[in-house]
Amino acid sequence: MSDNSKVTLGKTLRDARIAKGFTLDDLQQATKIQKRYLIAIEDQNFDELPGDFYVRAFIKQYADMVDLDGAELLKQFDSTLPSTQTQEYVDKVNESNPETRSQQRKVDDRYVQLRRTIPVIGIVIVVLVVLVGIWVAAAHNGNSGTKDNVDSSSVSVSGSSTKTSSSSSQSSSSKSSSKKKAAKTATFKKLSSTTSGSTWELKNASSKPKVSLSATSSAWMSVTISGATTWQGTLSTSTSHSLTIPSSATSVTFKFGNAPATKVKIDGKSFNFNSSTSTSSASSSSTNTSSQVQTVTLELK
């Protein structure tokens, strides 16, 4: 393809960025691609990028961020780009295999369902044991009354006492189970916020909270747990990503390139980090964190 076609690739990306209202600094913050590499891509100076893989990977990530079809753009200008001998960039740039994600979600769903079922089974067993105990006690009292000619009123009182005791036991078991269930419901509390992000407190989550990320349109994001980046990528309406926070983690930081289009769930509960409502402990200078590029920190308690 001619040099004019090469210029068309860079100009296509630059025009799309300008149309979205992004500066190079905005794009650098959202994609984590250094600004000098973004300039090199727009100027068609591919030799300035660290390697052939990064040329294709950076172009696709750039294109997806400005709502262009990265895969189609790479295909269209394939002959103008440096060739690569491996499929590594396909594995790194594209999302994980959909079948693998589907299977993982099924395993997670079965695990969550099992966790919810076990307390119910425990309550049923306790109730059955109590009912058997009442039946045995009633049978014993009935036999004693027949043999020893015991006053029926005393048997009645004994039966009432046993039933009252068993009812108290059932009530205590139900309250205990209710408290355990309530303790597993995750709650979010905003501590502070700025125009570029916010800090939240997470309480009552499971020992290893499950995080589910999705998007209503193309959105880049990354996840950093206790200071180490564990995942980053671009999601669309047909893709999602799930991960587990280790029990040893003290904080999780999310960076969103398109925050309004991003959805986060923790242990199945929606984390509405875009909410403008702050708690009493939040800074008085808190503002509505609804900007497109956001950094959201979640402190685990």
Side-chain angles (χ1 to χ4, degrees):
M1 197 170 285
S2 66
D3 291 340
N4 188 44
S5 297
K6 291 183 179 180
V7 173
T8 300
L9 172 61
K11 186 175 185 300
T12 298
L13 293 172
R14 182 187 295 110
D15 290 346
R17 171 178 62 79
I18 293 173
K20 292 289 291 183
F22 291 160
T23 65
L24 287 170
D25 290 329
D26 292 335
L27 210 59
Q28 175 180 250
Q29 183 178 3
T31 63
K32 302 307 177 185
I33 300 174
Q34 294 183 28
K35 183 177 180 180
R36 60 192 180 98
Y37 293 150
L38 297 174
I39 295 174
I41 290 173
E42 291 186 351
D43 293 341
Q44 301 296 128
N45 296 326
F46 299 135
D47 292 340
E48 296 183 11
L49 272 67
D52 293 344
F53 155 72
Y54 291 98
V55 174
R56 295 172 182 271
F58 286 177
I59 287 175
K60 184 178 188 304
Q61 195 168 353
Y62 187 132
D64 290 342
M65 191 61 200
V66 295
D67 289 343
L68 294 178
D69 189 332
E72 181 62 29
L73 199 65
L74 289 174
K75 182 179 179 181
Q76 180 182 353
F77 294 98
D78 181 71
S79 62
T80 69
L81 302 174
S83 62
T84 177
Q85 300 300 321
T86 70
Q87 291 299 316
E88 179 185 2
Y89 85 95
V90 176
D91 297 333
K92 289 189 176 182
V93 174
N94 291 338
E95 293 302 321
S96 302
N97 188 286
E99 293 184 5
T100 302
R101 293 199 311 274
S102 178
Q103 292 173 359
Q104 181 62 42
R105 283 196 295 270
K106 289 180 180 178
V107 171
D108 292 342
D109 290 343
R110 286 197 295 268
Y111 175 71
V112 172
Q113 185 176 6
L114 181 60
R115 281 177 47 190
R116 292 175 178 174
T117 304
I118 288 176
V120 175
I121 293 175
I123 293 174
V124 171
I125 291 174
V126 169
V127 171
L128 288 176
V129 170
V130 171
L131 291 176
V132 170
I134 294 173
W135 179 81
V136 171
H140 175 73
N141 289 334
N143 291 334
S144 298
T146 301
K147 292 180 180 180
D148 301 329
N149 195 24
V150 178
D151 188 350
S152 61
S153 63
S154 65
V155 175
S156 176
V157 171
S158 176
S160 298
S161 177
T162 304
K163 291 181 180 179
T164 301
S165 176
S166 64
S167 297
S168 299
S169 176
Q170 285 180 282
S171 177
S172 298
S173 299
S174 298
K175 289 181 180 180
S176 177
S177 299
S178 298
K179 288 181 180 179
K180 289 181 180 179
K181 288 183 179 180
K184 292 182 180 180
T185 301
T187 59
F188 306 98
K189 178 181 180 182
K190 183 186 287 186
L191 301 179
S192 63
S193 64
T194 64
T195 56
S196 61
S198 56
T199 299
W200 296 72
E201 180 182 79
L202 172 61
K203 288 186 176 182
N204 300 328
S206 60
S207 59
K208 294 181 179 180
K210 303 288 184 180
V211 179
S212 176
L213 303 172
S214 60
T216 57
S217 63
S218 180
W220 180 91
M221 59 195 75
S222 69
V223 181
T224 300
I225 299 177
S226 297
T229 300
T230 58
W231 177 84
Q232 64 176 349
T234 300
L235 298 181
S236 63
T237 55
S238 61
T239 60
S240 62
H241 184 75
S242 298
L243 56 90
T244 300
I245 302 175
S247 57
S248 59
T250 58
S251 65
V252 181
T253 298
F254 302 94
K255 291 187 178 180
F256 304 119
N258 189 2
T262 303
K263 293 184 177 180
V264 181
K265 287 187 176 181
I266 298 179
D267 279 348
K269 184 174 182 180
S270 295
F271 174 29
N272 188 14
F273 59 87
N274 280 310
S275 173
S276 61
T277 304
S278 60
T279 63
S280 58
S281 62
S283 171
S284 60
S285 62
S286 297
T287 58
N288 186 352
T289 57
S290 60
S291 60
Q292 190 162 22
V293 178
Q294 285 192 38
T295 299
V296 179
T297 298
L298 198 58
E299 297 182 355
L300 308 181
K301 300 296 182 180

